[in-house]
Structures are given as C-alpha cells and as structure tokens.
Amino acid sequence: MSSPAQPAPKPASTPQAVIRNFCIIAHIDHGKSTLADRMLQLTGIVDARQMRAQYLDRMDIERERGITIKSQAVRLPWIHQGQHYVLNMIDTPGHVDFTYEVSRSLEACEGAVLLVDAAQGIEAQTLANLYLAMDADLTIIPVLNKIDLPAAQPERYAEEIAGIIGCDPADVMKVSAKTGEGVEDLLNKIVDLVPPPVGDLSAPARALIFDSVYDTYRGVVTYVRVVDGKLSKRERTLMMSTGAVHETLEVGVISPEPIPSEGLAAGEVGYIISGVKDVRQARVGDTLTSSTKPAKEALAGYDHPKPMVFSGLYPVDGDEYPELRDALDKLRLNDAALIFEPETSTALGFGFRCGFLGLLHMEIVRERLEREFDLNLISTAPNVIYRVVMESGREIRVTNPAEFPGGIDGFAAAGSTPKGNTGGKIAQVFEPVVKATVISPADFIGTIMELCQGRRGVLLGMDYLSTDRVEIRYTMPLAEIIFDFFDQLKSRTRGYASLDYEPAGEQEANLVKVDILLQGQPVDAFSQIVHSDNAREYGLAMTAKLKELIPRQQFEVPIQAAIGSRIIARENIRALRKDVLAKCYGGDISRKRKLLEKQKEGKKRMKTIGRVEVPQEAFVAALSTGQAEASKPK
C-alpha cells in the first residue's frame, strides 16, 4: 500500500533509480493546478492548515484569472510497495501563448501526464502539447479529469484519446482532482511507467537552466535539471555561454518551499543561488558546470522563441524610463520569451518595442510590470512583423508601423521619414501566416468557416475526431488572429470551440500603412498597417474615435486618415468660441463685424503657431479600444 512520506529537512543527493521527473500538460482550465494541489496533499508536504487552492500559482494575476502563467517545479516524496521514491513534478501553463514555458519544462522531464477534461474532451491546445511531448520522446500517461461532474463522459473521451495516441481505452486513467479520487493510483502509475533519469554521475557536472527568478536580496535564483555529475555547495560554477564564474552560495530542492541541501546529483531538479546580480549572466537554456572540472560540451538548450506580436510600451511619466528598462531586464529573466529594444515616438516619448508570443502574453507582461514594479504604462496597438522588398532589391523588416516605407504610391507618407527608408517604390510586402487548428462540436462548422474565410483564411482540411467533434485546419494571416479572432470564435460557438496556432511561414499581401494626421502632422502612435480592403474602414473608425476623445482647442482641428498622400477619411473638431458680441447691446452692424474679424484673425494666428495637445487618456482609450474594432473586416 502506498502512503505519504514527510520530506527530510536537509535532503542529500538521491539515487537516480528512485527519481521520477514528470510534468502535467493540458488545455487551459482542465484542472492541472487542482491535480497538483491533490498531489501536494497526498504526499504530505503541505499540511491542511497551509493548503489553499492553486497552491503552486504564486502570482496574484494567476490566482485572479485562474490560469497558470509560470511553470512551477516541486519535489514530492512517495512510498510505493515499500520503496521510497522522489517525484519531481512541473505544473505547466495551458494557454497557447505560454507554449514556450511548456517546451522548456518537457526538456527537464522523462514523462508527461496528459490531462483531459472528462466533460469537454480533447481541445486544440491538448493536441499541441501532446505533440510537443511526443517530439521530446516522453512517456505519456493519459488521464481523464473531472469524472465527478454530472456532464462527464469518461468512456466516450477515453476512446477519443486512445484513437489519437494509439493506446487501449482501458489504459486511460480516470481521476477527480477536486475530490482526490484516483490520484493515489496515478502517482503509483507514474512510478511504474516513467523511466528514471539517465546520467553519468562520474562525468563533469552539467546542469540545464530551465528557469530563473530575480530576488531583490539574494540576486538571481536559477532552477536547474542536473544531467551529469554533481553540483555542491560552495563550489565555483561556470556559465558555459558567457564564461562567467560564480561561487555557489546555496543549493537545494523545492518541496514546495526551498529546502537547502549539500548538493544536487545527476537526474535531480533543484535551485542554485550564486549571488549573481547582473540578470544577463543567468540565461535560460544555458549550461552550468564546475569551473575546476568543466564539461567540454554544453547541453543543447532551447530554441529561442520567435515573437509573434509586437507592441510599444511607454511610461506615462517620461521620468520613469530608466525604471521601465530595469523592470524589463528583471522580467525577462523570469520570462525568457520576452524581447525588447529601445524606441522613441514623437507622440509618446522614450519607450521600448517589445516582442510577445501572443495577445495574452502581452497583456500579462504589461500587468506584471505595472503591479510588480509600480509603473504606469501606455501600450501601442499590437502588430506583427512584415518583410518589405523594395524595387531596388533592398529588404526592410518592419516591427513598427512607423518604419513601413510607403503608402499606396510606394513612397513615404507626407511629413514622415520612416526609419531606414531612403525613398523608392515597394515591390512586395510579405506578412506572417499561421496554421490554425480549431476543435469544435460539428454543429458550428458553418459559422467557423464563415469567420475564418472572412479573415482571409484558406481551408487546409477537416477531420472528425468523433461523430460530433470536428478538427478544422486553416492557414490565416497572423495579423487577422491577434486582435479579436478568439473572442469572435468563442461567441459564435457558445464557448465550445478551442483554438491553437503555430507559425507557417509568410505570404505576399496587398498591405498599406494608414497614417492618422492631426492638423496635417502624422501621429506615429496611431499609424497602422492594414490590408488595403480594410484601410478605409480603419481610417473612418479611428478618426471618429479620436474626434470623441480629443478635447476641443481654441482653433478648428482636422483629423485625417491618409494612405501616403491620399486622404481617405476626415473628421473636424470644432473650435471653442468665445461670444465676443456679448458686450454689444445694439449699435451699428459694422461694430459687430469688426469684433468678429478680430476674433477670426486671432484664431488664424493661433492655428499657425498652436499645437494640438492630445491627453494621455485619449491615447490609452484609442489604443486599447479603437484598434481591434477598426481592424475588423466589414
């Protein structure tokens, strides 16, 4: 009979034969964190007094939204058939934007628990994570969760899973993470099926950094999976990519709070604190080795994530620019998928162009910066990377609409000098495309196809997973997905459809840059690259939105949308007028006319020398609500 075991306060290095490294992968909201909670309780490392829901989700945002953003590693003791085992579990995120977190976690494991909701069945992200685990050659343990729900159909979905991974439906485990039913059997199954790690204890130490966090008092804390050899306390370690040498101040395991130990041996997962203060020296994917007996070859590490969506982040108060730079440096240590570079905007001042894996990733990064570092930020409209080929043969990589080298006639828009543009005509514009997979009940096939084709999608194929569940595959421009495609998909399918997408190269497209001009001057923060068919709708929507948001001035202000030198939409903000005739109680008409002419001259002079002040609130409102609606195809 298996039973919980209390963790030793100072664990020594553990024999590889009793170690099991596994992660939990699933679609968002299928119960990964709840299953992790039950495992923590069953193994006895968290007592009932300290226990809370989503125990491993440490960030306020995770707990508020009910989603996992960061993978969390934890060491669990377990006794099976009289033998003590050590289970290293990693709870991973489920949203498509955090797939990079999942892929890194898989590299630190030998097995994966594939969790599927028994009331919903396989979702798009479930398939994506399953393929990632198969590519990493992990042992897959299929599990149906939430069998206690009245709507659960475990037999039906067990057959669905078996058909996809090629196992027997009886091999699919059935658990309820909420009640704890079947979780003990699952832990025993993990011990039986997941192979122990294989590593050479006598070889030079090699440890893969799979995550890092920044601690204000202790510097960088690196989470490692030791592949070969052993790392000990007070040993000098070498970062193989940077060549930096540091003394190991503390080494230990997470169970679920940090527990210091004397060292970590091959196959173990734990943390190392070396007092590193420069966040650039502890790169995720780097190999850690001993400086006295260094390894000859570094571990393979990870592919660098390719950002899918770009957006500008600017402090509302320009004086906070240095704080924003430091905050991004520290956050990148904790979020290896974030990239950024400095940029300036005539409208917003100094800021950073940031690359994200998706819209949710962008939203979470901004919220974390504001909460954890006490910043007040403006983010510009998200956009994707475009490749522009000029007639001269020169290529320009555009991550910011201000860099787009032309309008409808191929030249820079009036009054703007895009970075890197030396004039000349555009030959071709290429935009990124993705392969989108939608899994939905068969009733919604028509509405899904209508939505995808309205977003310039091309049908690749359709497969029935069961009699009433269908998988639809499309290639679509990424720019059509990043705004509100997911919201539209959910609303049209009553929440039943799920979406996953992956990069699929690029395609040539008829794209133009729409500039928004205030009193003839382009405002770079409002520029957007859109398909030529949607350019007029975008221009009309943005000019109408800005007319409501920008306060009236002492002079009339025209708001124009332009493609190159061609105006496609216009709105006017009426001037504020003082009643100069109020003091005239009669008299000759020429006296009134004289006062009106004097006012007219003043307005004319003011229009020549005056600047339109756009309040920060208008930028925030226009960029947060105007973009998605304006970019929708009509």
Side-chain angles (χ1 to χ4, degrees), residues 262-286:
E262 291 305 312
L264 293 171
E268 289 194 276
V269 175
Y271 70 92
I272 290 175
I273 299 173
S274 53
V276 180
K277 293 293 183 185
D278 183 359
V279 296
R280 296 175 190 83
Q281 288 186 8
R283 199 168 51 79
V284 166
D286 200 354

PDB file of all heavy atoms in Angstrom, residues 262-286:
ATOM      1  N   GLU A 262      23.092  19.703   0.535  1.00  0.00           N
ATOM      2  CA  GLU A 262      24.549  19.761   0.322  1.00  0.00           C
ATOM      3  C   GLU A 262      24.899  19.763  -1.163  1.00  0.00           C
ATOM      4  O   GLU A 262      25.983  20.174  -1.541  1.00  0.00           O
ATOM      5  CB  GLU A 262      25.222  18.571   1.017  1.00  0.00           C
ATOM      6  CG  GLU A 262      25.167  18.643   2.537  1.00  0.00           C
ATOM      7  CD  GLU A 262      25.751  19.954   3.074  1.00  0.00           C
ATOM      8  OE1 GLU A 262      26.861  20.325   2.643  1.00  0.00           O
ATOM      9  OE2 GLU A 262      25.082  20.612   3.902  1.00  0.00           O
ATOM     10  N   GLY A 263      23.987  19.273  -2.001  1.00  0.00           N
ATOM     11  CA  GLY A 263      24.295  19.255  -3.426  1.00  0.00           C
ATOM     12  C   GLY A 263      23.177  18.628  -4.238  1.00  0.00           C
ATOM     13  O   GLY A 263      22.181  18.145  -3.697  1.00  0.00           O
ATOM     14  N   LEU A 264      23.323  18.678  -5.559  1.00  0.00           N
ATOM     15  CA  LEU A 264      22.372  18.066  -6.495  1.00  0.00           C
ATOM     16  C   LEU A 264      23.155  17.134  -7.414  1.00  0.00           C
ATOM     17  O   LEU A 264      24.188  17.527  -7.975  1.00  0.00           O
ATOM     18  CB  LEU A 264      21.663  19.136  -7.336  1.00  0.00           C
ATOM     19  CG  LEU A 264      20.702  20.088  -6.621  1.00  0.00           C
ATOM     20  CD1 LEU A 264      20.278  21.210  -7.570  1.00  0.00           C
ATOM     21  CD2 LEU A 264      19.475  19.354  -6.102  1.00  0.00           C
ATOM     22  N   ALA A 265      22.653  15.906  -7.566  1.00  0.00           N
ATOM     23  CA  ALA A 265      23.339  14.923  -8.413  1.00  0.00           C
ATOM     24  C   ALA A 265      22.567  14.722  -9.706  1.00  0.00           C
ATOM     25  O   ALA A 265      21.453  15.227  -9.874  1.00  0.00           O
ATOM     26  CB  ALA A 265      23.480  13.607  -7.651  1.00  0.00           C
ATOM     27  N   ALA A 266      23.164  13.986 -10.638  1.00  0.00           N
ATOM     28  CA  ALA A 266      22.560  13.725 -11.958  1.00  0.00           C
ATOM     29  C   ALA A 266      21.135  13.208 -11.809  1.00  0.00           C
ATOM     30  O   ALA A 266      20.872  12.314 -11.007  1.00  0.00           O
ATOM     31  CB  ALA A 266      23.407  12.724 -12.723  1.00  0.00           C
ATOM     32  N   GLY A 267      20.215  13.787 -12.585  1.00  0.00           N
ATOM     33  CA  GLY A 267      18.812  13.383 -12.568  1.00  0.00           C
ATOM     34  C   GLY A 267      17.942  14.234 -11.673  1.00  0.00           C
ATOM     35  O   GLY A 267      16.716  14.203 -11.783  1.00  0.00           O
ATOM     36  N   GLU A 268      18.540  15.026 -10.776  1.00  0.00           N
ATOM     37  CA  GLU A 268      17.747  15.807  -9.821  1.00  0.00           C
ATOM     38  C   GLU A 268      17.375  17.177 -10.390  1.00  0.00           C
ATOM     39  O   GLU A 268      18.056  17.727 -11.255  1.00  0.00           O
ATOM     40  CB  GLU A 268      18.514  15.985  -8.512  1.00  0.00           C
ATOM     41  CG  GLU A 268      18.637  14.710  -7.701  1.00  0.00           C
ATOM     42  CD  GLU A 268      19.087  14.973  -6.270  1.00  0.00           C
ATOM     43  OE1 GLU A 268      20.307  15.089  -6.053  1.00  0.00           O
ATOM     44  OE2 GLU A 268      18.227  15.076  -5.382  1.00  0.00           O
ATOM     45  N   VAL A 269      16.287  17.711  -9.857  1.00  0.00           N
ATOM     46  CA  VAL A 269      15.817  19.058 -10.202  1.00  0.00           C
ATOM     47  C   VAL A 269      15.870  19.900  -8.930  1.00  0.00           C
ATOM     48  O   VAL A 269      15.407  19.464  -7.869  1.00  0.00           O
ATOM     49  CB  VAL A 269      14.372  19.010 -10.749  1.00  0.00           C
ATOM     50  CG1 VAL A 269      13.843  20.420 -10.978  1.00  0.00           C
ATOM     51  CG2 VAL A 269      14.308  18.213 -12.043  1.00  0.00           C
ATOM     52  N   GLY A 270      16.436  21.097  -9.015  1.00  0.00           N
ATOM     53  CA  GLY A 270      16.528  21.949  -7.826  1.00  0.00           C
ATOM     54  C   GLY A 270      16.875  23.366  -8.186  1.00  0.00           C
ATOM     55  O   GLY A 270      16.698  23.794  -9.332  1.00  0.00           O
ATOM     56  N   TYR A 271      17.388  24.112  -7.205  1.00  0.00           N
ATOM     57  CA  TYR A 271      17.726  25.521  -7.444  1.00  0.00           C
ATOM     58  C   TYR A 271      19.155  25.789  -6.982  1.00  0.00           C
ATOM     59  O   TYR A 271      19.701  25.069  -6.129  1.00  0.00           O
ATOM     60  CB  TYR A 271      16.751  26.451  -6.709  1.00  0.00           C
ATOM     61  CG  TYR A 271      16.896  26.443  -5.199  1.00  0.00           C
ATOM     62  CD1 TYR A 271      17.730  27.356  -4.557  1.00  0.00           C
ATOM     63  CD2 TYR A 271      16.213  25.514  -4.415  1.00  0.00           C
ATOM     64  CE1 TYR A 271      17.877  27.348  -3.174  1.00  0.00           C
ATOM     65  CE2 TYR A 271      16.346  25.492  -3.041  1.00  0.00           C
ATOM     66  CZ  TYR A 271      17.190  26.419  -2.413  1.00  0.00           C
ATOM     67  OH  TYR A 271      17.337  26.401  -1.049  1.00  0.00           O
ATOM     68  N   ILE A 272      19.764  26.826  -7.555  1.00  0.00           N
ATOM     69  CA  ILE A 272      21.116  27.245  -7.180  1.00  0.00           C
ATOM     70  C   ILE A 272      21.117  28.763  -7.041  1.00  0.00           C
ATOM     71  O   ILE A 272      20.604  29.482  -7.914  1.00  0.00           O
ATOM     72  CB  ILE A 272      22.153  26.800  -8.237  1.00  0.00           C
ATOM     73  CG1 ILE A 272      22.333  25.284  -8.193  1.00  0.00           C
ATOM     74  CG2 ILE A 272      23.492  27.493  -8.034  1.00  0.00           C
ATOM     75  CD1 ILE A 272      23.241  24.726  -9.259  1.00  0.00           C
ATOM     76  N   ILE A 273      21.678  29.258  -5.946  1.00  0.00           N
ATOM     77  CA  ILE A 273      21.846  30.699  -5.745  1.00  0.00           C
ATOM     78  C   ILE A 273      23.343  30.980  -5.722  1.00  0.00           C
ATOM     79  O   ILE A 273      24.077  30.416  -4.906  1.00  0.00           O
ATOM     80  CB  ILE A 273      21.194  31.170  -4.421  1.00  0.00           C
ATOM     81  CG1 ILE A 273      19.696  30.881  -4.435  1.00  0.00           C
ATOM     82  CG2 ILE A 273      21.451  32.662  -4.199  1.00  0.00           C
ATOM     83  CD1 ILE A 273      18.993  31.154  -3.114  1.00  0.00           C
ATOM     84  N   SER A 274      23.794  31.832  -6.634  1.00  0.00           N
ATOM     85  CA  SER A 274      25.234  32.116  -6.717  1.00  0.00           C
ATOM     86  C   SER A 274      25.545  33.598  -6.526  1.00  0.00           C
ATOM     87  O   SER A 274      26.656  34.031  -6.803  1.00  0.00           O
ATOM     88  CB  SER A 274      25.781  31.626  -8.063  1.00  0.00           C
ATOM     89  OG  SER A 274      25.016  32.169  -9.115  1.00  0.00           O
ATOM     90  N   GLY A 275      24.564  34.379  -6.085  1.00  0.00           N
ATOM     91  CA  GLY A 275      24.810  35.797  -5.819  1.00  0.00           C
ATOM     92  C   GLY A 275      24.959  36.642  -7.067  1.00  0.00           C
ATOM     93  O   GLY A 275      25.450  37.768  -7.004  1.00  0.00           O
ATOM     94  N   VAL A 276      24.542  36.109  -8.234  1.00  0.00           N
ATOM     95  CA  VAL A 276      24.630  36.878  -9.482  1.00  0.00           C
ATOM     96  C   VAL A 276      23.649  38.051  -9.409  1.00  0.00           C
ATOM     97  O   VAL A 276      22.471  37.858  -9.117  1.00  0.00           O
ATOM     98  CB  VAL A 276      24.285  36.001 -10.707  1.00  0.00           C
ATOM     99  CG1 VAL A 276      24.368  36.799 -11.990  1.00  0.00           C
ATOM    100  CG2 VAL A 276      25.199  34.797 -10.768  1.00  0.00           C
ATOM    101  N   LYS A 277      24.139  39.257  -9.641  1.00  0.00           N
ATOM    102  CA  LYS A 277      23.255  40.427  -9.629  1.00  0.00           C
ATOM    103  C   LYS A 277      22.908  40.899 -11.047  1.00  0.00           C
ATOM    104  O   LYS A 277      21.886  41.514 -11.283  1.00  0.00           O
ATOM    105  CB  LYS A 277      23.919  41.592  -8.862  1.00  0.00           C
ATOM    106  CG  LYS A 277      24.083  41.336  -7.371  1.00  0.00           C
ATOM    107  CD  LYS A 277      22.757  41.264  -6.646  1.00  0.00           C
ATOM    108  CE  LYS A 277      22.935  41.082  -5.148  1.00  0.00           C
ATOM    109  NZ  LYS A 277      21.668  40.888  -4.443  1.00  0.00           N
ATOM    110  N   ASP A 278      23.827  40.612 -12.004  1.00  0.00           N
ATOM    111  CA  ASP A 278      23.573  41.006 -13.393  1.00  0.00           C
ATOM    112  C   ASP A 278      22.662  39.960 -14.028  1.00  0.00           C
ATOM    113  O   ASP A 278      23.069  38.814 -14.255  1.00  0.00           O
ATOM    114  CB  ASP A 278      24.894  41.108 -14.157  1.00  0.00           C
ATOM    115  CG  ASP A 278      24.691  41.590 -15.590  1.00  0.00           C
ATOM    116  OD1 ASP A 278      23.517  41.817 -15.975  1.00  0.00           O
ATOM    117  OD2 ASP A 278      25.680  41.735 -16.318  1.00  0.00           O
ATOM    118  N   VAL A 279      21.438  40.362 -14.325  1.00  0.00           N
ATOM    119  CA  VAL A 279      20.442  39.394 -14.802  1.00  0.00           C
ATOM    120  C   VAL A 279      20.815  38.788 -16.155  1.00  0.00           C
ATOM    121  O   VAL A 279      20.332  37.715 -16.508  1.00  0.00           O
ATOM    122  CB  VAL A 279      19.044  40.044 -14.885  1.00  0.00           C
ATOM    123  CG1 VAL A 279      18.574  40.447 -13.518  1.00  0.00           C
ATOM    124  CG2 VAL A 279      19.041  41.240 -15.825  1.00  0.00           C
ATOM    125  N   ARG A 280      21.694  39.441 -16.923  1.00  0.00           N
ATOM    126  CA  ARG A 280      22.048  38.918 -18.249  1.00  0.00           C
ATOM    127  C   ARG A 280      22.973  37.705 -18.155  1.00  0.00           C
ATOM    128  O   ARG A 280      23.230  37.032 -19.140  1.00  0.00           O
ATOM    129  CB  ARG A 280      22.718  40.016 -19.088  1.00  0.00           C
ATOM    130  CG  ARG A 280      21.805  41.188 -19.403  1.00  0.00           C
ATOM    131  CD  ARG A 280      22.563  42.310 -20.130  1.00  0.00           C
ATOM    132  NE  ARG A 280      21.761  43.518 -20.216  1.00  0.00           N
ATOM    133  CZ  ARG A 280      21.662  44.424 -19.249  1.00  0.00           C
ATOM    134  NH1 ARG A 280      22.328  44.252 -18.126  1.00  0.00           N
ATOM    135  NH2 ARG A 280      20.930  45.509 -19.384  1.00  0.00           N
ATOM    136  N   GLN A 281      23.534  37.446 -16.970  1.00  0.00           N
ATOM    137  CA  GLN A 281      24.501  36.355 -16.833  1.00  0.00           C
ATOM    138  C   GLN A 281      23.842  35.014 -16.530  1.00  0.00           C
ATOM    139  O   GLN A 281      24.522  33.999 -16.457  1.00  0.00           O
ATOM    140  CB  GLN A 281      25.517  36.695 -15.736  1.00  0.00           C
ATOM    141  CG  GLN A 281      26.489  37.789 -16.139  1.00  0.00           C
ATOM    142  CD  GLN A 281      27.563  38.002 -15.096  1.00  0.00           C
ATOM    143  OE1 GLN A 281      27.681  37.247 -14.154  1.00  0.00           O
ATOM    144  NE2 GLN A 281      28.352  39.055 -15.271  1.00  0.00           N
ATOM    145  N   ALA A 282      22.537  34.987 -16.294  1.00  0.00           N
ATOM    146  CA  ALA A 282      21.863  33.724 -15.976  1.00  0.00           C
ATOM    147  C   ALA A 282      20.782  33.474 -17.018  1.00  0.00           C
ATOM    148  O   ALA A 282      19.608  33.627 -16.751  1.00  0.00           O
ATOM    149  CB  ALA A 282      21.268  33.784 -14.578  1.00  0.00           C
ATOM    150  N   ARG A 283      21.218  33.112 -18.223  1.00  0.00           N
ATOM    151  CA  ARG A 283      20.289  32.978 -19.337  1.00  0.00           C
ATOM    152  C   ARG A 283      19.611  31.608 -19.302  1.00  0.00           C
ATOM    153  O   ARG A 283      20.276  30.581 -19.110  1.00  0.00           O
ATOM    154  CB  ARG A 283      21.047  33.159 -20.650  1.00  0.00           C
ATOM    155  CG  ARG A 283      20.194  33.491 -21.846  1.00  0.00           C
ATOM    156  CD  ARG A 283      21.062  33.934 -23.008  1.00  0.00           C
ATOM    157  NE  ARG A 283      22.147  33.009 -23.292  1.00  0.00           N
ATOM    158  CZ  ARG A 283      21.998  31.866 -23.959  1.00  0.00           C
ATOM    159  NH1 ARG A 283      20.810  31.510 -24.403  1.00  0.00           N
ATOM    160  NH2 ARG A 283      23.023  31.092 -24.198  1.00  0.00           N
ATOM    161  N   VAL A 284      18.300  31.589 -19.478  1.00  0.00           N
ATOM    162  CA  VAL A 284      17.564  30.329 -19.547  1.00  0.00           C
ATOM    163  C   VAL A 284      18.042  29.539 -20.763  1.00  0.00           C
ATOM    164  O   VAL A 284      18.179  30.084 -21.853  1.00  0.00           O
ATOM    165  CB  VAL A 284      16.045  30.602 -19.634  1.00  0.00           C
ATOM    166  CG1 VAL A 284      15.292  29.356 -20.044  1.00  0.00           C
ATOM    167  CG2 VAL A 284      15.521  31.126 -18.317  1.00  0.00           C
ATOM    168  N   GLY A 285      18.316  28.239 -20.562  1.00  0.00           N
ATOM    169  CA  GLY A 285      18.839  27.399 -21.635  1.00  0.00           C
ATOM    170  C   GLY A 285      20.343  27.247 -21.586  1.00  0.00           C
ATOM    171  O   GLY A 285      20.923  26.433 -22.318  1.00  0.00           O
ATOM    172  N   ASP A 286      21.022  28.021 -20.711  1.00  0.00           N
ATOM    173  CA  ASP A 286      22.477  27.925 -20.565  1.00  0.00           C
ATOM    174  C   ASP A 286      22.829  26.646 -19.801  1.00  0.00           C
ATOM    175  O   ASP A 286      21.999  26.073 -19.097  1.00  0.00           O
ATOM    176  CB  ASP A 286      22.999  29.154 -19.818  1.00  0.00           C
ATOM    177  CG  ASP A 286      24.487  29.373 -20.038  1.00  0.00           C
ATOM    178  OD1 ASP A 286      25.124  28.512 -20.677  1.00  0.00           O
ATOM    179  OD2 ASP A 286      25.016  30.405 -19.565  1.00  0.00           O
TER     180      ASP A 286
END
